[in-house]
Amino acid sequence: MNRNIFLLPILGCFFIIFSCASTPKVMMAPVTIHANAPDIDIYHGSYPVKMKIIHTALDLRFDWTKSWVMGNAKLTVQPYFYPQDSIVLDANGFEINNIWALDSTAKRKLNFSYDGKKIQIALGKKYTREEKVNLLIDYIAKPNDLEVGKDIASPDDRGLYFIQPDNQTGVPRQLWTQGETECNANWFPTINNTMLKMSQQIKLTVPDTMVTLSNGLLKDSTFNTDGTRTDTWVQEKPHAPYLVMIAVGKFDVVKDKWRDKEVSYYMEPAYAPHARLIFGKTPEMLEFFSQRLGVDYPWDKYAQIVVRNFVSGAMENTSASVFFDRMNMTPASYKDETYEDIVAHELFHHWFGDLVTAESWSNLPLNESFATYGEYLWMEHKYGKEAADMHGLNDALAYLAKQKNATLDVIRFDYADSEQMFDEVSYQKGGRILHMLRKTVGDEAFFEALKRYLKKHAYQSVEIHDLRLAFEEVTGQDLNWFFNQWFLASGNPYLVVNTSYDDSLKQVVVALSQQQDLNTMPLYRLPLKVDLYYGTKVERKPIVLDKQQDTFRFASAEVPKLINVDAEKYLLAQIENNKTLNECIYQYLHGPLFMDRFEAVQQLADQVDQAEARRIIVQALKDKAWLIRLMALGYIDKLPEQERMNVYPEIKKMALDDERSYVRASAIVLLKTIYQKQDNGDVLKIAGKDNAPSVQQALMSNP
């Protein structure tokens, strides 16, 4: 699931970085948390399992005026291990009419008690773990009547939403659900436990002018005499209760295909002509992820639907992902944000989260960290390492932007509300940790371990140690040190790097110290690479920093042009590395990675009083990475007046021709501010034909 949008200003430029899960996310409504007293420890482990749901069959009708769900739920349940004579179901704010047991030859009415949140049902006899019982529950769910602070923590926890039409804003009538974390119990009786896996059948009776969507395949569609239609959706493969979804509305369905499976895009008629622009890379993503993971996409179909007023960025319901209405895009808005990372994020969840599910919300990073890293993997495959590393940088910045994030364990059991797990630690930090794990064990071992993990735990729930064991089985290494310091602890390294050349001993000297607070953060074990640059030759030196301070020496007959610590730029850390001006320039000109150039430009910006630093910043206006071009634009106002005028023609060219709309927009802002006395009329007139929203916003901005 994607939930937040992060606005990260880069060097004063107006620039929006959409994170993802992270993670493109929308601002959430406040959560009312009833936590324990500060001096009482909070521990949230996995829920115990007394009874399990094998199958859920729902028959649903809707009162659109009252925003009610009239339902019949048939649940096939079974004791998990110990014999049971009762079952407790989650059902929030229901009106319960009757409950029966459906025996082989009879329909037996059952006694039950209900407190408005949980149904305690007496089964009438004790069942063993070899026996199943079918329950039939006649109920009305009223999700719109649930009170915030009493029944639900926030307005975004209703579970099922009736979107009423608004002729003024053009919002159409729709109905959709959002189950994560434990909101599906607001519209059908279930057990809120991610350790459970069940199959399902859902019958939806709706006006015959509307389209329905649910998990699995549409097995039947029957027109009724009252102008309604009943659609029957069947999900045969087991999945967690929070992944159950339905959606109803007037959608056009654009059909695609991957191998022998249907891929479909549900969009409002006004936006459906652009469905392939927005979602059209999905079949390629399905093929790439299936091959990269060594496990084919496991579900019967893949549908993606865009709904109005969604409470989250997107949600990975099994075989049917839901997306917020910012995905109702035109070719113009697509120039600014494609949201391709969200599409990849929700699809990757279908392996990590849907096929293999975190057994508790404390283990949520096993879902969200992987989905966030799925974004990186797709970018790397489709657009190359430069684009992927830009995306990875955004994840690192999103995590580092909030001081509080450094105080939170990745796998943590002390949250006050499960919604607190959906943060930059579970998403962006976790994604960066997976990248470090990949670099630590190597690509072949990394993906072999993921394949083993997915195959071993398919249609099951897991905890973090299951992931560690898969990696240890593949690599033959004890990886407790890695998982303990990254997944089971808080914070990140703060490294101070000092490099020098000892002319008397003919040695390169690399002095490193970890200066994070060791009272709250680990003393890390950090395998790193150090690259020594000698003109056209580069020597790589592997090191392991596992002390608070250590010094590494390498024989060298000459002074290197550059000593590049963490040469692969994969470490999630705050690094103080005071390179000289010449080293920064050399790193920008010769470093092979996007992050080499990014770091160099950042450090050169602190030395803009030096002409050579300014020369590189001006050169960065033509960098192949749009983010670095954008950064360079942010430093133009720091140039002396004559140098600013020297680059004026380049700024005008960028305003019209740069391939990235944000860069064009930023160049236009410069024309309207520091170059406002120049004759920009012709350029701004031509730019007016650029329909990218960011460009139009820049043109309308006041100097």
Side-chain angles (χ1 to χ4, degrees), residues 578-592:
N578 299 313
K579 293 186 175 75
T580 66
L581 174 62
N582 287 337
E583 287 175 320
C584 291
I585 293 172
Y586 193 92
Q587 180 169 323
Y588 179 82
L589 296 175
H590 299 283

Side-chain angles (χ1 to χ4, degrees), residues 35-44 413-416:
N36 293 339
D39 58 341
I40 300 177
D41 289 337
I42 300 174
Y43 176 79
H44 293 285
F413 301 88
D414 58 352
Y415 57 81

Side-chain angles (χ1 to χ4, degrees), residues 99-172:
I99 301 178
W100 299 271
L102 303 178
D103 296 329
S104 57
T105 59
K107 182 178 178 182
R108 180 164 47 91
K109 196 169 184 179
L110 298 178
N111 294 322
F112 67 92
S113 61
Y114 180 54
D115 64 2
K117 290 183 180 294
K118 293 183 180 292
I119 314 171
Q120 178 90 33
I121 304 171
L123 299 176
K125 58 169 280 191
K126 186 163 284 190
Y127 290 84
T128 69
R129 62 179 179 270
E130 286 80 27
E131 296 177 291
K132 297 177 183 177
V133 56
N134 292 315
L135 304 176
L136 179 62
I137 303 171
D138 180 13
Y139 70 96
I140 299 175
K142 306 175 182 180
N144 212 44
D145 295 347
L146 298 174
E147 294 183 32
V148 175
K150 176 185 175 184
D151 305 311
I152 53 177
S154 85
D156 297 332
D157 291 338
R158 296 194 184 281
L160 186 147
Y161 293 78
F162 290 86
I163 306 301
Q164 302 297 352
D166 188 324
N167 294 330
Q168 289 185 336
T169 63
V171 173

Side-chain angles (χ1 to χ4, degrees), residues 636-647 675 678:
I636 295 302
D637 63 344
K638 301 182 185 301
L639 301 180
E641 183 175 358
Q642 185 56 52
E643 292 181 23
R644 286 204 304 269
M645 292 311 302
N646 290 343
V647 299
Y675 294 112
Q678 307 306 310

